[in-house]
Amino acid sequence: MDINIDWISTASIHQLQSVLVALCADGEVRHRASRHWASLSASLEDPKDVVICMQCDKSFSIKKKDAEVCLYHPEELEVDFDSDVWADHDEKCHGPEDTEENRREFPDGFIYPCCQGQGDAPGCERSKHEEYPDQPRSENGKALMPTTDSPQRLAFVTGAKRKAEDMPGNAQQAKGKYTHYGA
């Protein structure tokens, strides 16, 4: 079932934060969101140029995507029922084998069919990073970012490590609409 996520490009920052907080009630989602936030905020690149790769799940600069190598698995991770990890596993007692928590805690109990590597094996395919296709774009192809009600809020939302006054553009202009930033 393919669910349209176009609403993300028109939602306010407050609405998006509310959705994220609600989703983070699930520990697995919270873990993944925290990992993405840590990856994005650790980047030395301009925050507006850093996105998550849809192949390897790591952050990258859209300005350097041709220079950086993406390592990923073209096939989904599967439970390796032949692994000794599951020898004493009882689904009625321990729950299902294929959970995000088990994938993190027992990588040797999972296998990538593409290369037969265990769950913690580095990617077996090399390519350029790919950003998610649903990223809103302007007519000239540049990424769009939602405007916010104050420069301080913009600095918070984008993870900027500089003063809000130094942020490009005017956060008050076109309030509630999209403004594109960048060269």
Side-chain angles (χ1 to χ4, degrees):
M1 174 202 247
D2 190 21
I3 297 176
N4 186 326
I5 58 170
D6 291 342
W7 59 269
I8 293 173
S9 64
T10 59
S12 71
I13 296 299
H14 176 74
Q15 290 169 324
L16 294 173
Q17 288 173 336
S18 295
V19 168
L20 185 58
V21 166
L23 289 172
C24 285
D26 178 310
E28 300 306 325
V29 174
R30 184 174 51 251
H31 174 78
R32 189 167 180 202
S34 295
R35 192 167 35 99
H36 283 313
W37 174 251
S39 176
L40 288 170
S41 60
S43 174
L44 299 177
E45 299 294 325
D46 191 337
K48 68 182 176 288
D49 294 331
V50 181
V51 295
I52 302 293
C53 179
M54 63 185 264
Q55 297 178 134
C56 68
D57 216 27
K58 296 196 169 36
S59 64
F60 71 97
S61 169
I62 57 176
K63 289 185 175 181
K64 296 180 179 178
K65 82 180 213 178
D66 292 334
E68 297 177 7
V69 175
C70 170
L71 292 174
Y72 71 100
H73 292 283
E75 295 184 40
E76 292 293 318
L77 191 62
E78 296 178 354
V79 175
D80 180 6
F81 290 105
D82 295 330
S83 171
D84 291 340
V85 168
W86 310 118
D88 295 327
H89 187 84
D90 179 359
E91 195 164 316
K92 291 178 184 174
C93 178
H94 303 107
E97 293 92 347
D98 197 2
T99 65
E100 289 297 321
E101 182 179 1
N102 283 346
R103 288 175 181 220
R104 277 195 318 274
E105 290 185 26
F106 308 110
D108 50 333
F110 295 87
I111 193 165
Y112 285 103
C114 48
C115 63
Q116 301 305 305
Q118 289 185 335
D120 54 358
C124 61
E125 293 283 325
R126 298 171 71 91
S127 74
K128 296 186 295 186
H129 286 296
E130 295 290 331
E131 65 185 291
Y132 284 92
D134 294 325
Q135 172 70 38
R137 297 278 168 195
S138 67
E139 290 176 14
N140 65 4
K142 292 186 179 179
L144 297 173
M145 291 186 63
T147 59
T148 58
D149 54 356
S150 74
Q152 291 78 17
R153 183 95 167 135
L154 180 62
F156 169 77
V157 169
T158 60
K161 293 182 175 120
R162 56 187 178 205
K163 292 189 291 183
E165 302 83 53
D166 297 335
M167 294 298 292
N170 178 354
Q172 290 293 343
Q173 72 186 10
K175 190 173 180 181
K177 298 187 178 180
Y178 282 82
T179 302
H180 97 216
Y181 297 100

